[in-house]
Amino acid sequence: MGHSAERDEADTNRRVEMTSGNLAFAEAMRQINPDVVAAYPITPSTEIPMRFAEYVANGDVDTRYVAVESEHSAITACVGASVAGGRVMTASSANGVALMHEIFPIAASFRAPIVFGLVNRSLGAPVNIHCDHSDSMPERDSGWVQIYCEDAQEVYDTVMLSVRLAEHPDVLTPVFVCQDGFITSHCYEPVEFLQDESVRQFVGTREPRYPLLDVDNPVSYGSFTMSEHYFEIKRNQIEGLNNVSRVYRELSDEYVALSGREYPMIDRYMTDDADYVVVIMSSATGVVKDVVDDLRREGVRAGCLRVRMYRPFPSGEVREALSGKKCVAVLDRSASPGGVAPLAAEIKSALYMSPDRVPVFDYIFGLGGRDFFPDDARRVFQDLMDMRYEDGARYIGLLEEDD
Amino acid sequence: MSRVKGGVSWRNTPPGTVTFGASAMEVETGLWRSMRPVLDLEKCVSCLKCWVQCPDASIMTDEDARVCGINEYFCKGCGVCQAVCPAGAISMRPESDFSDCGKVCEPDKVMQLVKNTGMVGELVGS
């Protein structure tokens, strides 16, 4: 991401505060002032509905806050409010996300533009509260946009972009704004906030196309549909995802003028002239970037590619960034037991049509919050430099018999 | 020619699974039927028990509110009408016994049949 673009003079009166990814998300919600929030708090996303409930209780927002009895009910209430025509937000993690699974494809198919704070946490069992991506990756085929943030600032800015992206008439698709549990959600760092008025102008008000509460133009959502129509409805829905990259670029241009901050779908760090590239997502990217800096000082042409948007997957951008490299390592923070891990599968698929065959090494790291150190990243780069290819995934930081 | 009767292209499909008012009128649930009710008007006493019990409002009535037929576009062949008929006027027969098995009704004819049930005044669509 870049911080150098010109800023709109109208928004020079900014404030910077020490805050966390969760609280930055909640502050974005306060400024957006959604119509409805239905939530069932779960670690590590608890602070999002907790802080937002304070805003509701104190009258800082005029949102209808629905306290429900389960995550399944939370997302169901969100879908109802969204198709009624409201602007709707919620948050969850791990098994809470899993319990919502039944409703996610329905939300997407209803074209309900919900913005969802997904704070990544490992999926039980065993129960574990720390970060990996095993909760969000099973939702990759649920029809939602998935954006993975590296830090709290990016979380805040991505919420703003996501409201516009989700509600855009050519997209009309719910968005998961993902951040790493505890690492991003709970660590404090400086975050620059927009003015309330700037946010109001940027997000505007939602203009729903077929609101259920428009009794003069009655519609039904989710009617029983036989084979005559289902296929066309699903294909129409897929087009919403296909339109994301164009719409996202337009919104990103608008947002960079307002904030000075830009977030491309993929974040290239010294990849242009790199021989060896590590591909990774979310908060662990910083570790790899530091090691890239060290290796560059040692004369190694190393680079890092962070995939920020996972759905829709920016295959063209990835292929353009990685074609011609000597070799590439993909670090997944979740596994697909019995298959290729989610990020590695996408990267390999994207590279299939590249003119040169780029070897791709698979790694799995950080499950259940297992630490990922600079030495780990350095060993991955060493594997690439030595061309130590292995069939199947290697596991970073996993204890073996002699450890 | 479209491979799906009454189909709409994916580009022209409204987003969000949205359907507009009274679209149930267009869904030919009669295609599900494996047993067809056959009404013998000679035996029928027009007690309207079948009209009350039919889950699909498929029992048609005339201007005098007397039973006059069964709407095969909607009838799923559940057999409730036969079970409740005190006069033995309805029998259930396999669809394969009929030469028009699986044939689709014309929309205009369907709407006329629906009007004959007396359950709707103004029809939406079609």
Side-chain angles (χ1 to χ4, degrees):
Chain A
M1 77 188 179
H3 293 266
S4 57
E6 284 182 31
R7 290 169 173 180
D8 189 333
E9 285 186 14
D11 203 58
T12 50
N13 185 20
R14 275 156 233 278
R15 64 194 162 93
V16 178
E17 289 180 16
M18 288 297 288
T19 194
S20 67
N22 272 343
L23 298 182
F25 193 104
E27 174 66 0
M29 289 171 79
R30 181 191 67 76
Q31 293 180 307
I32 291 163
N33 193 12
D35 297 304
V36 174
V37 169
Y40 190 79
I42 180 171
T43 298
S45 52
T46 305
E47 285 176 313
I48 294 175
M50 188 179 85
R51 174 61 62 92
F52 190 74
E54 284 178 24
Y55 294 145
V56 175
N58 294 340
D60 298 326
V61 290
D62 41 33
T63 304
R64 173 73 183 269
Y65 185 91
V66 189
V68 289
E69 77 283 12
S70 77
E71 285 89 354
H72 191 278
S73 300
I75 190 64
T76 303
C78 286
V79 169
S82 186
V83 295
R87 178 172 278 165
V88 181
M89 301 176 75
T90 189
S92 194
S93 297
N95 292 55
V97 171
L99 184 57
M100 292 175 168
H101 170 74
E102 186 205 7
I103 305 301
F104 286 145
I106 296 173
S109 205
F110 282 10
R111 313 298 290 273
I114 299 162
V115 174
F116 190 117
L118 198 160
V119 181
N120 283 113
R121 164 184 161 185
S122 59
L123 202 56
V127 175
N128 171 301
I129 56 169
H130 287 288
C131 175
D132 67 36
H133 297 170
S134 59
D135 51 358
S136 56
M137 281 303 172
E139 304 309 330
R140 66 189 183 273
D141 298 330
S142 288
W144 289 48
V145 175
Q146 289 198 353
I147 302 174
Y148 290 79
C149 302
E150 185 179 350
D151 57 29
Q153 180 72 62
E154 186 177 336
V155 169
Y156 173 79
D157 293 320
T158 302
V159 179
M160 301 301 170
L161 285 162
S162 295
V163 169
R164 291 281 303 279
L165 182 66
E167 294 176 7
H168 192 286
D170 295 344
V171 175
L172 268 185
T173 299
V175 179
F176 289 122
V177 179
C178 303
Q179 57 174 303
D180 281 351
F182 291 105
I183 304 162
T184 308
S185 69
H186 283 64
C187 289
Y188 276 58
E189 55 187 307
V191 174
E192 187 175 285
F193 296 114
L194 299 170
Q195 296 299 304
D196 288 4
E197 184 53 32
S198 302
V199 172
R200 270 195 290 276
Q201 284 178 15
F202 181 76
V203 298
T205 51
R206 187 185 164 199
E207 290 172 15
R209 183 148 173 209
Y210 297 113
L212 263 187
L213 290 181
D214 180 2
V215 293
D216 295 328
N217 298 290
V219 294
S220 300
Y221 277 84
S223 306
F224 179 83
T225 304
M226 291 285 268
S227 45
E228 303 95 297
H229 301 299
Y230 184 93
F231 207 172
E232 284 70 29
I233 289 170
K234 298 316 281 187
R235 176 64 184 87
N236 185 288
Q237 179 192 332
I238 289 166
E239 195 66 358
L241 271 295
N242 291 346
N243 289 336
V244 163
S245 79
R246 169 178 58 80
V247 172
Y248 181 79
R249 283 192 186 89
E250 293 165 11
L251 292 173
S252 178
D253 288 347
E254 195 179 328
Y255 193 73
V256 73
L258 175 68
S259 69
R261 294 182 293 274
E262 187 175 10
Y263 302 96
M265 291 183 287
I266 58 170
D267 170 17
R268 306 170 189 214
Y269 189 74
M270 298 196 185
T271 56
D272 286 356
D273 67 339
D275 294 326
Y276 310 104
V277 177
V278 168
V279 183
I280 196 164
M281 296 166 75
S282 302
S283 67
T285 310
V287 176
V288 178
K289 286 175 177 173
D290 276 356
V291 171
V292 166
D293 291 345
D294 293 343
L295 289 169
R296 286 275 171 175
R297 278 190 288 274
E298 295 163 22
V300 177
R301 291 206 288 194
C304 176
L305 177 70
R306 177 171 69 97
V307 173
R308 168 172 146 78
M309 189 170 285
Y310 183 80
R311 278 292 178 272
F313 194 78
S315 299
E317 286 83 347
V318 165
R319 184 161 53 247
E320 197 253 310
L322 297 180
S323 286
K325 302 305 175 196
K326 282 189 179 167
C327 49
V328 166
V330 182
L331 273 57
D332 267 278
R333 201 159 193 157
S334 65
S336 177
V340 179
L343 183 58
E346 292 292 343
I347 297 294
K348 289 177 181 180
S349 179
L351 286 173
Y352 184 74
M353 290 304 287
S354 66
D356 308 303
R357 187 173 178 82
V358 182
V360 177
F361 298 10
D362 305 8
Y363 296 83
I364 290 171
F365 79 104
L367 299 193
R370 176 61 50 86
D371 281 329
F372 176 67
F373 296 110
D375 280 351
D376 297 321
R378 183 174 270 273
R379 272 192 289 273
V380 170
F381 276 112
Q382 197 62 53
D383 286 345
L384 293 174
M385 288 184 270
D386 298 343
M387 276 299 276
R388 272 201 299 269
Y389 179 79
E390 281 183 22
D391 206 14
R394 276 170 278 200
Y395 298 85
I396 298 173
L398 179 71
L399 296 185
E400 301 286 359
E401 281 181 69
D402 51 355
D403 287 319
Chain B
M1 183 184 159
S2 171
R3 63 192 289 159
V4 179
K5 181 182 176 291
V8 178
S9 85
W10 68 268
R11 286 191 186 278
N12 294 323
T13 297
T17 76
V18 161
T19 46
F20 302 96
S23 60
M25 293 294 179
E26 295 161 22
V27 180
E28 190 182 3
T29 48
L31 284 174
W32 310 357
R33 190 177 57 242
S34 57
M35 298 290 284
R36 182 185 297 194
V38 177
L39 174 64
D40 183 349
L41 285 170
E42 297 288 313
K43 292 182 184 169
C44 176
V45 296
S46 221
C47 66
L48 296 179
K49 283 191 173 180
C50 58
W51 185 87
V52 170
Q53 295 292 337
C54 176
D56 289 298
S58 295
I59 306 297
M60 299 187 293
T61 52
D62 63 16
E63 293 128 20
D64 302 322
R66 294 182 64 83
V67 172
C68 64
I70 296 172
N71 184 335
E72 289 169 5
Y73 189 83
F74 296 119
C75 170
K76 301 194 195 84
C78 70
V80 165
C81 52
Q82 181 207 34
V84 299
C85 179
I90 298 174
S91 55
M92 300 300 292
R93 289 173 54 192
E95 276 296 315
S96 54
D97 284 2
F98 298 91
S99 60
D100 63 344
C101 171
K103 277 191 184 164
V104 177
C105 297
E106 293 302 316
D108 288 350
K109 186 186 168 195
V110 170
M111 289 308 156
Q112 195 53 50
L113 292 172
V114 169
K115 277 182 181 168
N116 287 348
T117 65
M119 68 180 181
V120 281
E122 298 285 320
L123 285 170
V124 180
S126 185

